Amino acid sequence: MNDLTVSALSRVSASEQNHQSQQLNVGYGASLSDIARFENSINTAIEKTTNVRRVDKPSDTERAVMKPLDFINDEASEIVDYAKTAVASGNELTPSEIVLLTARTHEFMFHCQLTSNIANRTSDGLQQLFRQQS
């Protein structure tokens, strides 16, 4: 660690001691807002140390965390659009269209479960890392 990081971390810990109501408990209950709040506290400490303002764009970490969720959201939108188009046509769905829609929804659910599993494994790994560090 360099001196800037140590200084930022010491400021964050001092800030956390002053604001005990805003403690960050990392565990199974950690959410994206907890991650964002932690990153904001680090950035605030760095800004106070270096007097540099953060640009209002997402960081690489935020983009990496959101990428799988964006993919799932896009996939869900595609399925909804397909179903709405089928209903708007006024015709009944053919058996092949029903099978296709069912297959796409199963694929969507698989991607949701896979993303959830990866998130849970990542959370478990981070918990273990924090336990080892302390």
Side-chain angles (χ1 to χ4, degrees):
M1 278 199 248
N2 61 24
D3 292 335
L4 180 62
T5 305
V6 172
S7 175
L9 290 176
S10 65
R11 284 183 183 253
V12 168
S13 65
S15 173
E16 285 297 323
Q17 290 172 358
N18 292 337
H19 302 286
Q20 291 180 359
S21 64
Q22 296 180 357
Q23 273 188 322
L24 177 64
N25 296 323
V26 177
Y28 286 107
S31 66
L32 293 177
S33 61
D34 293 334
I35 294 169
R37 196 172 56 198
F38 177 74
E39 186 175 358
N40 286 338
S41 65
I42 293 289
N43 288 334
T44 301
I46 290 172
E47 283 178 15
K48 289 178 181 177
T49 305
T50 60
N51 296 326
V52 176
R53 296 188 54 90
R54 178 180 174 185
V55 180
D56 290 333
K57 64 178 183 175
S59 69
D60 293 338
T61 305
E62 291 169 334
R63 275 188 250 126
V65 167
M66 295 304 292
K67 192 171 185 174
L69 300 175
D70 288 338
F71 175 78
I72 288 174
N73 191 37
D74 292 341
E75 194 173 20
S77 297
E78 289 173 12
I79 292 171
V80 168
D81 291 342
Y82 180 79
K84 283 183 179 179
T85 303
V87 169
S89 70
N91 300 328
E92 289 186 17
L93 291 175
T94 64
S96 65
E97 290 174 328
I98 292 172
V99 169
L100 178 64
L101 186 58
T102 303
R104 289 181 71 187
T105 55
H106 282 275
E107 181 183 12
F108 169 72
M109 286 306 300
F110 171 74
H111 289 147
C112 290
Q113 289 173 341
L114 182 65
T115 302
S116 175
N117 191 359
I118 291 169
N120 287 335
R121 300 285 181 184
T122 303
S123 174
D124 291 343
L126 287 173
Q127 275 187 329
Q128 184 177 3
L129 178 67
F130 285 129
R131 271 188 251 125
Q132 289 173 354
Q133 295 289 326
S134 60

